[in-house]
Amino acid sequence: MRHFCTICCFLISLCSYSQTPESNTQLFNDLNQLAWEPKWSPLDNTSWREYWTLDGYRAEVEGTAKGMLFCAGPVAYDNGSHAVLWTKESFDGAIKIEFDYTRIDDISRFVNIIYIQATGIGTPPFVEDIGEWNSLRMVPTMSPYFRHMNTYHISFAAFGVNNEDSDKDYVRARRYPVSPGGKFSTETALEPDYYNTGLFKPGVQYHMTIIKKDNHLIMQVKSNDAEKVFYWDTFQFPPIKLGKVGLRHMYTRCAIYDNFTIYRLPNDD
């Protein structure tokens, strides 16, 4: 009976969630302590092609002793220098994504993005399995992604395209696709945006944990001397139930990823 009441209280708390920094942390802890089971984790960074596919012909991916080095192309403002790494596998239901992130670049412009459970919109040639139209994304311009995919997007270690202040980063979430003729900046937005986080310093390793469950999208970023939780409620959008995970670097951005693991909840649909 006590176990049943605990579950009921947890579910009620999710339904009546009120966002504050403290409640974000509590919700993250509650979700993180669920019975997650590892579903996918590359065993060897040096054989990254066994686990990932790449959009972007100018990108560099290399397995190193410190993790998987992923660098976008070198030419700023050139769409051919964007890059996206996709898991070959798709994941359904609730999902938890963990990895260690170390920023290699010291550029105070452009963004990194993680895509969560991406599929095509289903209209040919943008079929549900995005791996079938990878050839259309060898120049990874942003618009084919936000116009032709169903996915969540979280920007992190992100800066404005003309920014020059290394302290003015932001974290932001979106839900694709934008409607035909719709405005990307407003129609896809998940509130709130977070500014000047104090995180993602070059050369510092951050442990990142992202959980998507029900209407909750939440991310913890943690280093030896900092920890923050970012939360978005996705209730206003149709749920996303299945898809691949992707890492986008805009032109010139570069980082090392290590210990990448994706978890699922047993019997979760």
Side-chain angles (χ1 to χ4, degrees):
M1 178 63 72
R2 179 179 299 176
H3 180 65
F4 176 76
C5 292
T6 300
I7 293 173
C8 289
C9 290
F10 176 62
L11 293 175
I12 290 170
S13 71
L14 294 185
C15 294
S16 58
Y17 183 67
S18 177
Q19 183 180 173
T20 66
E22 294 76 18
S23 60
N24 286 351
T25 298
Q26 185 60 56
L27 177 62
F28 174 82
N29 290 337
D30 290 342
L31 292 171
N32 196 38
Q33 290 170 10
L34 297 177
W36 298 98
E37 294 183 351
K39 170 75 172 177
W40 181 91
S41 184
L43 298 176
D44 182 3
N45 288 313
T46 60
S47 53
W48 64 270
R49 292 182 186 276
E50 293 183 18
Y51 306 95
W52 304 86
T53 59
L54 177 65
D55 299 352
Y57 66 96
R58 289 181 172 171
E60 175 188 357
V61 184
E62 180 184 352
T64 76
K66 295 182 178 180
M68 182 178 65
L69 176 69
F70 176 36
C71 297
V75 184
Y77 305 104
D78 168 56
N79 285 327
S81 286
H82 290 316
V84 184
L85 272 174
W86 290 108
T87 61
K88 289 186 176 182
E89 191 168 339
S90 292
F91 309 92
D92 62 338
I95 185 174
K96 180 170 83 165
I97 305 163
E98 279 192 307
F99 56 92
D100 295 319
Y101 168 86
T102 306
R103 183 176 159 203
I104 300 303
D105 65 73
D106 59 1
I107 299 161
S108 300
R109 292 178 291 169
F110 317 134
V111 307
N112 297 338
I113 293 169
I114 185 166
Y115 296 119
I116 301 162
Q117 292 180 307
T119 60
I121 58 174
T123 304
F126 310 111
V127 297
E128 182 174 294
D129 183 353
I130 61 173
E132 294 188 19
W133 45 285
N134 170 269
S135 61
L136 301 180
R137 304 189 306 272
M138 284 299 95
V139 176
T141 307
M142 280 286 294
S143 56
Y145 297 78
F146 65 73
R147 295 193 185 283
H148 305 305
M149 289 186 185
N150 283 294
T151 189
Y152 296 114
H153 143 163
I154 298 177
S155 302
F156 64 95
F159 301 90
V161 295
N162 297 312
N163 179 67
E164 296 181 354
D165 187 339
S166 60
D167 292 327
K168 289 188 175 181
D169 73 309
Y170 65 85
V171 170
R172 176 177 295 152
R174 298 189 180 278
R175 166 65 159 92
Y176 300 177
V178 67
S179 63
K183 190 172 182 180
F184 170 74
S185 60
T186 55
E187 189 175 313
T188 64
L190 290 169
E191 300 297 337
D193 294 343
Y194 298 86
Y195 295 97
N196 306 328
T197 69
L199 302 169
F200 308 114
K201 302 299 184 183
V204 178
Q205 185 181 84
Y206 295 89
H207 186 74
M208 300 181 62
T209 306
I210 299 163
I211 297 173
K212 187 230 76 177
K213 178 171 172 52
D214 303 322
N215 290 333
H216 301 285
L217 182 61
I218 195 163
M219 177 173 75
Q220 182 200 61
V221 182
K222 186 175 182 180
S223 68
N224 288 336
D225 57 4
E227 178 180 338
K228 290 191 177 181
V229 175
F230 308 90
Y231 172 80
W232 302 272
D233 192 330
T234 65
F235 77 96
Q236 71 269 41
F237 291 98
I240 291 177
K241 298 181 179 180
L242 172 73
K244 299 178 187 293
V245 172
L247 297 169
R248 169 180 281 270
H249 283 191
M250 287 183 69
Y251 21 61
T252 72
R253 298 301 304 271
C254 188
I256 287 177
Y257 295 84
D258 198 20
N259 300 313
F260 209 103
T261 306
I262 297 176
Y263 301 81
R264 287 270 293 108
L265 285 176
N267 304 317
D268 185 275
D269 296 324

PDB file of all heavy atoms in Angstrom, residues 12-13 17 27 36 38 45 49 75 82 88 91-92 158 166 173 191 228 234 243 256 263 266 269:
ATOM      1  N   ILE A  12       0.728  12.495  -9.229  1.00  0.00           N
ATOM      2  CA  ILE A  12       0.021  13.750  -8.970  1.00  0.00           C
ATOM      3  C   ILE A  12       0.979  14.927  -9.081  1.00  0.00           C
ATOM      4  O   ILE A  12       0.666  15.971  -9.643  1.00  0.00           O
ATOM      5  CB  ILE A  12      -0.643  13.709  -7.578  1.00  0.00           C
ATOM      6  CG1 ILE A  12      -1.813  12.721  -7.588  1.00  0.00           C
ATOM      7  CG2 ILE A  12      -1.132  15.096  -7.163  1.00  0.00           C
ATOM      8  CD1 ILE A  12      -2.370  12.424  -6.214  1.00  0.00           C
ATOM      9  N   SER A  13       2.193  14.743  -8.547  1.00  0.00           N
ATOM     10  CA  SER A  13       3.170  15.831  -8.610  1.00  0.00           C
ATOM     11  C   SER A  13       3.532  16.159 -10.043  1.00  0.00           C
ATOM     12  O   SER A  13       3.761  17.323 -10.381  1.00  0.00           O
ATOM     13  CB  SER A  13       4.432  15.462  -7.814  1.00  0.00           C
ATOM     14  OG  SER A  13       5.170  14.447  -8.465  1.00  0.00           O
ATOM     15  N   TYR A  17       2.637  20.105 -11.766  1.00  0.00           N
ATOM     16  CA  TYR A  17       3.999  20.614 -11.626  1.00  0.00           C
ATOM     17  C   TYR A  17       4.057  22.125 -11.761  1.00  0.00           C
ATOM     18  O   TYR A  17       3.502  22.700 -12.694  1.00  0.00           O
ATOM     19  CB  TYR A  17       4.900  19.958 -12.673  1.00  0.00           C
ATOM     20  CG  TYR A  17       6.333  20.389 -12.542  1.00  0.00           C
ATOM     21  CD1 TYR A  17       7.076  20.029 -11.428  1.00  0.00           C
ATOM     22  CD2 TYR A  17       6.927  21.173 -13.510  1.00  0.00           C
ATOM     23  CE1 TYR A  17       8.388  20.428 -11.285  1.00  0.00           C
ATOM     24  CE2 TYR A  17       8.240  21.568 -13.387  1.00  0.00           C
ATOM     25  CZ  TYR A  17       8.967  21.190 -12.269  1.00  0.00           C
ATOM     26  OH  TYR A  17      10.264  21.590 -12.131  1.00  0.00           O
ATOM     27  N   LEU A  27      12.100  17.345  -9.486  1.00  0.00           N
ATOM     28  CA  LEU A  27      11.498  16.553 -10.551  1.00  0.00           C
ATOM     29  C   LEU A  27      12.562  15.740 -11.277  1.00  0.00           C
ATOM     30  O   LEU A  27      12.356  14.554 -11.570  1.00  0.00           O
ATOM     31  CB  LEU A  27      10.762  17.458 -11.537  1.00  0.00           C
ATOM     32  CG  LEU A  27      10.146  16.744 -12.742  1.00  0.00           C
ATOM     33  CD1 LEU A  27       9.080  15.747 -12.304  1.00  0.00           C
ATOM     34  CD2 LEU A  27       9.561  17.752 -13.734  1.00  0.00           C
ATOM     35  N   TRP A  36      15.271   2.870 -14.918  1.00  0.00           N
ATOM     36  CA  TRP A  36      15.827   2.947 -16.272  1.00  0.00           C
ATOM     37  C   TRP A  36      16.744   1.766 -16.540  1.00  0.00           C
ATOM     38  O   TRP A  36      17.521   1.359 -15.684  1.00  0.00           O
ATOM     39  CB  TRP A  36      16.600   4.245 -16.449  1.00  0.00           C
ATOM     40  CG  TRP A  36      15.777   5.479 -16.290  1.00  0.00           C
ATOM     41  CD1 TRP A  36      15.668   6.264 -15.177  1.00  0.00           C
ATOM     42  CD2 TRP A  36      14.933   6.077 -17.291  1.00  0.00           C
ATOM     43  NE1 TRP A  36      14.816   7.308 -15.418  1.00  0.00           N
ATOM     44  CE2 TRP A  36      14.346   7.228 -16.699  1.00  0.00           C
ATOM     45  CE3 TRP A  36      14.611   5.758 -18.605  1.00  0.00           C
ATOM     46  CZ2 TRP A  36      13.472   8.058 -17.391  1.00  0.00           C
ATOM     47  CZ3 TRP A  36      13.736   6.577 -19.300  1.00  0.00           C
ATOM     48  CH2 TRP A  36      13.176   7.704 -18.697  1.00  0.00           C
ATOM     49  N   PRO A  38      19.670   0.393 -19.425  1.00  0.00           N
ATOM     50  CA  PRO A  38      20.476   0.795 -20.584  1.00  0.00           C
ATOM     51  C   PRO A  38      20.032   0.058 -21.841  1.00  0.00           C
ATOM     52  O   PRO A  38      19.855  -1.158 -21.832  1.00  0.00           O
ATOM     53  CB  PRO A  38      21.902   0.436 -20.191  1.00  0.00           C
ATOM     54  CG  PRO A  38      21.756  -0.547 -19.079  1.00  0.00           C
ATOM     55  CD  PRO A  38      20.477  -0.247 -18.381  1.00  0.00           C
ATOM     56  N   ASN A  45      34.745   4.039 -29.034  1.00  0.00           N
ATOM     57  CA  ASN A  45      34.665   5.304 -29.762  1.00  0.00           C
ATOM     58  C   ASN A  45      35.402   5.268 -31.098  1.00  0.00           C
ATOM     59  O   ASN A  45      35.083   6.031 -32.011  1.00  0.00           O
ATOM     60  CB  ASN A  45      35.234   6.436 -28.898  1.00  0.00           C
ATOM     61  CG  ASN A  45      34.318   6.801 -27.741  1.00  0.00           C
ATOM     62  OD1 ASN A  45      33.118   6.966 -27.926  1.00  0.00           O
ATOM     63  ND2 ASN A  45      34.886   6.929 -26.552  1.00  0.00           N
ATOM     64  N   ARG A  49      31.455   4.465 -36.587  1.00  0.00           N
ATOM     65  CA  ARG A  49      30.562   4.219 -37.721  1.00  0.00           C
ATOM     66  C   ARG A  49      29.633   3.018 -37.494  1.00  0.00           C
ATOM     67  O   ARG A  49      28.628   2.882 -38.176  1.00  0.00           O
ATOM     68  CB  ARG A  49      31.378   4.002 -39.001  1.00  0.00           C
ATOM     69  CG  ARG A  49      32.102   5.251 -39.485  1.00  0.00           C
ATOM     70  CD  ARG A  49      32.842   4.991 -40.779  1.00  0.00           C
ATOM     71  NE  ARG A  49      33.641   6.135 -41.183  1.00  0.00           N
ATOM     72  CZ  ARG A  49      33.185   7.178 -41.859  1.00  0.00           C
ATOM     73  NH1 ARG A  49      31.907   7.207 -42.222  1.00  0.00           N
ATOM     74  NH2 ARG A  49      33.984   8.192 -42.188  1.00  0.00           N
ATOM     75  N   VAL A  75      34.215  26.309 -42.091  1.00  0.00           N
ATOM     76  CA  VAL A  75      33.869  27.574 -42.742  1.00  0.00           C
ATOM     77  C   VAL A  75      32.596  28.145 -42.117  1.00  0.00           C
ATOM     78  O   VAL A  75      31.497  27.600 -42.296  1.00  0.00           O
ATOM     79  CB  VAL A  75      33.674  27.387 -44.261  1.00  0.00           C
ATOM     80  CG1 VAL A  75      33.400  28.730 -44.922  1.00  0.00           C
ATOM     81  CG2 VAL A  75      34.898  26.720 -44.879  1.00  0.00           C
ATOM     82  N   HIS A  82      27.960  22.688 -41.576  1.00  0.00           N
ATOM     83  CA  HIS A  82      27.175  22.119 -40.487  1.00  0.00           C
ATOM     84  C   HIS A  82      27.413  20.607 -40.434  1.00  0.00           C
ATOM     85  O   HIS A  82      27.883  20.000 -41.408  1.00  0.00           O
ATOM     86  CB  HIS A  82      25.679  22.356 -40.713  1.00  0.00           C
ATOM     87  CG  HIS A  82      25.248  23.776 -40.568  1.00  0.00           C
ATOM     88  ND1 HIS A  82      25.664  24.599 -39.555  1.00  0.00           N
ATOM     89  CD2 HIS A  82      24.392  24.535 -41.333  1.00  0.00           C
ATOM     90  CE1 HIS A  82      25.098  25.782 -39.681  1.00  0.00           C
ATOM     91  NE2 HIS A  82      24.336  25.770 -40.758  1.00  0.00           N
ATOM     92  N   LYS A  88      22.172   5.065 -35.280  1.00  0.00           N
ATOM     93  CA  LYS A  88      21.555   4.179 -36.272  1.00  0.00           C
ATOM     94  C   LYS A  88      20.270   3.573 -35.733  1.00  0.00           C
ATOM     95  O   LYS A  88      19.365   3.237 -36.490  1.00  0.00           O
ATOM     96  CB  LYS A  88      22.538   3.070 -36.664  1.00  0.00           C
ATOM     97  CG  LYS A  88      23.706   3.565 -37.494  1.00  0.00           C
ATOM     98  CD  LYS A  88      24.572   2.401 -37.970  1.00  0.00           C
ATOM     99  CE  LYS A  88      25.675   2.887 -38.884  1.00  0.00           C
ATOM    100  NZ  LYS A  88      26.513   1.777 -39.401  1.00  0.00           N
ATOM    101  N   PHE A  91      14.558   4.759 -30.790  1.00  0.00           N
ATOM    102  CA  PHE A  91      14.175   4.491 -29.408  1.00  0.00           C
ATOM    103  C   PHE A  91      12.747   4.950 -29.191  1.00  0.00           C
ATOM    104  O   PHE A  91      12.373   6.049 -29.600  1.00  0.00           O
ATOM    105  CB  PHE A  91      15.125   5.214 -28.451  1.00  0.00           C
ATOM    106  CG  PHE A  91      16.573   4.945 -28.751  1.00  0.00           C
ATOM    107  CD1 PHE A  91      17.283   5.780 -29.595  1.00  0.00           C
ATOM    108  CD2 PHE A  91      17.204   3.830 -28.229  1.00  0.00           C
ATOM    109  CE1 PHE A  91      18.610   5.524 -29.905  1.00  0.00           C
ATOM    110  CE2 PHE A  91      18.533   3.558 -28.524  1.00  0.00           C
ATOM    111  CZ  PHE A  91      19.239   4.411 -29.369  1.00  0.00           C
ATOM    112  N   ASP A  92      11.956   4.098 -28.515  1.00  0.00           N
ATOM    113  CA  ASP A  92      10.555   4.433 -28.328  1.00  0.00           C
ATOM    114  C   ASP A  92      10.252   4.692 -26.852  1.00  0.00           C
ATOM    115  O   ASP A  92      11.013   4.325 -25.964  1.00  0.00           O
ATOM    116  CB  ASP A  92       9.643   3.319 -28.856  1.00  0.00           C
ATOM    117  CG  ASP A  92       9.843   2.002 -28.123  1.00  0.00           C
ATOM    118  OD1 ASP A  92      10.916   1.814 -27.519  1.00  0.00           O
ATOM    119  OD2 ASP A  92       8.919   1.169 -28.145  1.00  0.00           O
ATOM    120  N   ALA A 158      25.319  27.219 -26.502  1.00  0.00           N
ATOM    121  CA  ALA A 158      24.790  27.932 -27.665  1.00  0.00           C
ATOM    122  C   ALA A 158      24.990  29.439 -27.527  1.00  0.00           C
ATOM    123  O   ALA A 158      24.863  30.003 -26.433  1.00  0.00           O
ATOM    124  CB  ALA A 158      23.302  27.629 -27.820  1.00  0.00           C
ATOM    125  N   SER A 166      31.650  35.688 -24.482  1.00  0.00           N
ATOM    126  CA  SER A 166      31.685  34.270 -24.132  1.00  0.00           C
ATOM    127  C   SER A 166      30.771  33.934 -22.955  1.00  0.00           C
ATOM    128  O   SER A 166      30.525  32.752 -22.679  1.00  0.00           O
ATOM    129  CB  SER A 166      33.115  33.840 -23.798  1.00  0.00           C
ATOM    130  OG  SER A 166      33.618  34.580 -22.694  1.00  0.00           O
ATOM    131  N   ALA A 173      14.873  24.998 -25.975  1.00  0.00           N
ATOM    132  CA  ALA A 173      14.245  23.779 -26.510  1.00  0.00           C
ATOM    133  C   ALA A 173      13.210  24.137 -27.561  1.00  0.00           C
ATOM    134  O   ALA A 173      12.563  25.192 -27.496  1.00  0.00           O
ATOM    135  CB  ALA A 173      13.608  22.969 -25.393  1.00  0.00           C
ATOM    136  N   GLU A 191       8.883  26.915 -23.904  1.00  0.00           N
ATOM    137  CA  GLU A 191       9.316  27.874 -22.889  1.00  0.00           C
ATOM    138  C   GLU A 191       9.740  27.148 -21.609  1.00  0.00           C
ATOM    139  O   GLU A 191       9.195  26.085 -21.280  1.00  0.00           O
ATOM    140  CB  GLU A 191       8.163  28.839 -22.587  1.00  0.00           C
ATOM    141  CG  GLU A 191       7.689  29.651 -23.792  1.00  0.00           C
ATOM    142  CD  GLU A 191       8.759  30.574 -24.342  1.00  0.00           C
ATOM    143  OE1 GLU A 191       9.703  30.920 -23.570  1.00  0.00           O
ATOM    144  OE2 GLU A 191       8.664  30.965 -25.515  1.00  0.00           O
ATOM    145  N   LYS A 228      23.199  22.521 -12.902  1.00  0.00           N
ATOM    146  CA  LYS A 228      21.949  23.211 -13.192  1.00  0.00           C
ATOM    147  C   LYS A 228      20.981  22.259 -13.875  1.00  0.00           C
ATOM    148  O   LYS A 228      21.397  21.323 -14.567  1.00  0.00           O
ATOM    149  CB  LYS A 228      22.179  24.448 -14.072  1.00  0.00           C
ATOM    150  CG  LYS A 228      22.898  25.578 -13.344  1.00  0.00           C
ATOM    151  CD  LYS A 228      22.879  26.876 -14.132  1.00  0.00           C
ATOM    152  CE  LYS A 228      23.534  27.981 -13.321  1.00  0.00           C
ATOM    153  NZ  LYS A 228      23.520  29.283 -14.059  1.00  0.00           N
ATOM    154  N   THR A 234       5.991  20.001 -22.447  1.00  0.00           N
ATOM    155  CA  THR A 234       5.687  19.815 -23.872  1.00  0.00           C
ATOM    156  C   THR A 234       4.207  19.583 -24.140  1.00  0.00           C
ATOM    157  O   THR A 234       3.835  19.153 -25.226  1.00  0.00           O
ATOM    158  CB  THR A 234       6.484  18.614 -24.423  1.00  0.00           C
ATOM    159  OG1 THR A 234       6.020  17.416 -23.783  1.00  0.00           O
ATOM    160  CG2 THR A 234       7.975  18.778 -24.155  1.00  0.00           C
ATOM    161  N   GLY A 243      11.964   7.498 -32.290  1.00  0.00           N
ATOM    162  CA  GLY A 243      12.876   8.137 -33.222  1.00  0.00           C
ATOM    163  C   GLY A 243      14.333   8.003 -32.827  1.00  0.00           C
ATOM    164  O   GLY A 243      14.683   7.412 -31.799  1.00  0.00           O
ATOM    165  N   ILE A 256      34.173  16.896 -27.609  1.00  0.00           N
ATOM    166  CA  ILE A 256      34.383  15.471 -27.366  1.00  0.00           C
ATOM    167  C   ILE A 256      33.198  14.937 -26.573  1.00  0.00           C
ATOM    168  O   ILE A 256      32.765  15.538 -25.574  1.00  0.00           O
ATOM    169  CB  ILE A 256      35.682  15.216 -26.591  1.00  0.00           C
ATOM    170  CG1 ILE A 256      36.892  15.447 -27.511  1.00  0.00           C
ATOM    171  CG2 ILE A 256      35.739  13.795 -26.044  1.00  0.00           C
ATOM    172  CD1 ILE A 256      38.235  15.284 -26.832  1.00  0.00           C
ATOM    173  N   TYR A 263      18.884   5.110 -22.285  1.00  0.00           N
ATOM    174  CA  TYR A 263      18.124   4.216 -21.418  1.00  0.00           C
ATOM    175  C   TYR A 263      16.643   4.248 -21.790  1.00  0.00           C
ATOM    176  O   TYR A 263      16.138   5.252 -22.291  1.00  0.00           O
ATOM    177  CB  TYR A 263      18.234   4.654 -19.957  1.00  0.00           C
ATOM    178  CG  TYR A 263      19.626   4.705 -19.395  1.00  0.00           C
ATOM    179  CD1 TYR A 263      20.458   5.798 -19.646  1.00  0.00           C
ATOM    180  CD2 TYR A 263      20.107   3.685 -18.583  1.00  0.00           C
ATOM    181  CE1 TYR A 263      21.734   5.860 -19.103  1.00  0.00           C
ATOM    182  CE2 TYR A 263      21.386   3.743 -18.038  1.00  0.00           C
ATOM    183  CZ  TYR A 263      22.196   4.836 -18.307  1.00  0.00           C
ATOM    184  OH  TYR A 263      23.455   4.900 -17.769  1.00  0.00           O
ATOM    185  N   PRO A 266      11.322  -0.110 -18.752  1.00  0.00           N
ATOM    186  CA  PRO A 266      10.630  -1.352 -19.134  1.00  0.00           C
ATOM    187  C   PRO A 266       9.133  -1.148 -19.213  1.00  0.00           C
ATOM    188  O   PRO A 266       8.530  -0.462 -18.391  1.00  0.00           O
ATOM    189  CB  PRO A 266      10.988  -2.305 -17.981  1.00  0.00           C
ATOM    190  CG  PRO A 266      12.192  -1.719 -17.337  1.00  0.00           C
ATOM    191  CD  PRO A 266      12.100  -0.248 -17.519  1.00  0.00           C
ATOM    192  N   ASP A 269       5.323   2.732 -22.998  1.00  0.00           N
ATOM    193  CA  ASP A 269       4.928   2.956 -24.386  1.00  0.00           C
ATOM    194  C   ASP A 269       4.982   4.424 -24.747  1.00  0.00           C
ATOM    195  O   ASP A 269       4.581   4.807 -25.814  1.00  0.00           O
ATOM    196  CB  ASP A 269       3.522   2.407 -24.625  1.00  0.00           C
ATOM    197  CG  ASP A 269       3.461   0.891 -24.437  1.00  0.00           C
ATOM    198  OD1 ASP A 269       4.445   0.237 -24.795  1.00  0.00           O
ATOM    199  OD2 ASP A 269       2.441   0.405 -23.909  1.00  0.00           O
TER     200      ASP A 269
END
